[in-house]
Amino acid sequence: MVLVALALQHSRSDGVAAPNPVPTFTLGVTTPTPTPTWEAPSPEPQASRADERFLTTGSAVWWRGVAGECGVTEPVIERSDDGGATWTDVTPRYLGIGEVMAMNAFSAADAEMVAAMGPTCEVQALRTYTGGEFWEPYPEVLAASRYLDSADPSLVILLGEPVPAPCPAPTGLRTSGDTAALICDGVAWTRTGANWTPLTPTGVAALTLVGPDIVLAHADASCDGTAVSRVAENDLAGPQPVGCAAGTDPASPTAVTIRDGDLLVWSRDALAVLEGVA
């Protein structure tokens, strides 16, 4: 496997250097389930909801963001036209965006997100067909979205239905088909059907899904950086090591995504590429 580290440069359309941010949607489950019993594990590194990162790629444009916290910390949304070498700030501040809860590239150059908007932090699904210059609300997209509730952090919204998370304040929700996965205090949990199941290893910084399989970016003593493991759908207790993203930091806010079979790991100001993960 080959690991390539790409230094990221931030730029804005007005020519002013953008600050480095410190820090993706549909599941057909409508039956309410009891709130799971939660016993907190030993403390593990985990980003706060405000610092949570998102990374998603179309064939022509890549997108990334930092969640922010509505009314407290401004979110940041950026796009790249050159495979992550440089980034341009396209945060729709003119709309009063307050927080990002989900982000997805749904075509070669277009993206959508679920965000809290305006002084009341109204949840909307927004799409851009102009490279991020303009964003418009799409209620039908919101109805089909999956995201963590900004008003009540203990709830996951799946197709408009609130579902109790397996902990009070999860992060990192990602979904694919009938599978959802998120992170609670460094532990990844997966849900297919009505129940949440915890996974190993611990120290998880970020995750993504490849169909029903879950790819975890996590801390490991054998990796001088971020270790990567894959949990197959029918082998939840047996994660398989995939590789090590050297030069990254699993204790800092992290986002991962799969592109053309490779794993992109966004950590601090670097983008690492771990080849042949999927």
Side-chain angles (χ1 to χ4, degrees):
M1 299 183 181
V2 180
L3 178 66
V4 183
L6 304 177
L8 304 184
Q9 304 171 10
H10 298 262
S11 63
R12 294 173 58 148
S13 56
D14 57 8
V16 179
N20 288 334
V22 182
T24 255
F25 286 85
T26 36
L27 181 66
V29 177
T30 58
T31 303
T33 58
T35 302
T37 300
W38 168 247
E39 295 181 3
S42 301
E44 296 283 359
Q46 177 164 336
S48 70
R49 292 283 287 268
D51 293 333
E52 184 175 348
R53 292 182 170 195
F54 302 92
L55 179 64
T56 181
T57 63
S59 59
V61 179
W62 295 12
W63 305 83
R64 70 182 188 181
V66 183
E69 183 178 355
C70 196
V72 179
T73 305
E74 183 182 79
V76 177
I77 301 165
E78 298 173 299
R79 59 166 284 168
S80 174
D81 301 319
D82 54 14
T86 60
W87 296 86
T88 300
D89 190 333
V90 293
T91 310
R93 297 177 178 87
Y94 73 98
L95 292 176
I97 187 171
E99 181 177 342
V100 178
M101 288 98 83
M103 181 180 293
N104 182 49
F106 65 91
S107 74
D110 306 314
E112 64 190 13
M113 63 180 169
V114 177
M117 309 295 295
T120 63
C121 300
E122 177 189 2
V123 178
Q124 297 180 0
L126 306 175
R127 278 186 168 182
T128 180
Y129 292 92
T130 58
E133 182 178 4
F134 301 107
W135 298 78
E136 298 290 339
Y138 286 80
E140 68 278 13
V141 175
L142 181 62
S145 294
R146 297 172 283 189
Y147 55 94
L148 296 172
D149 192 349
S150 64
D152 184 346
S154 70
L155 293 178
V156 182
I157 308 301
L158 305 174
L159 290 175
E161 295 293 330
V163 173
C167 64
T171 61
L173 176 71
R174 300 295 184 267
T175 62
S176 175
D178 291 334
T179 303
L182 47 71
I183 304 168
C184 292
D185 298 314
V187 176
W189 292 70
T190 183
R191 176 188 175 100
T192 300
N195 299 312
W196 292 100
T197 303
L199 306 176
T200 56
T202 61
V204 176
L207 58 81
T208 190
L209 278 76
V210 182
D213 293 359
I214 303 168
V215 176
L216 305 173
H218 59 93
D220 190 285
S222 66
C223 172
D224 185 16
T226 302
V228 179
S229 298
R230 181 166 178 166
V231 182
E233 176 186 15
N234 298 318
D235 190 17
L236 300 183
Q240 298 299 313
V242 173
C244 174
T248 60
D249 180 10
S252 69
T254 300
V256 295
T257 193
I258 296 290
R259 175 175 173 80
D260 296 334
D262 301 335
L263 184 73
L264 307 182
V265 183
W266 176 28
S267 172
R268 293 186 175 177
D269 295 328
L271 189 70
V273 183
L274 196 59
E275 296 183 347
V277 172

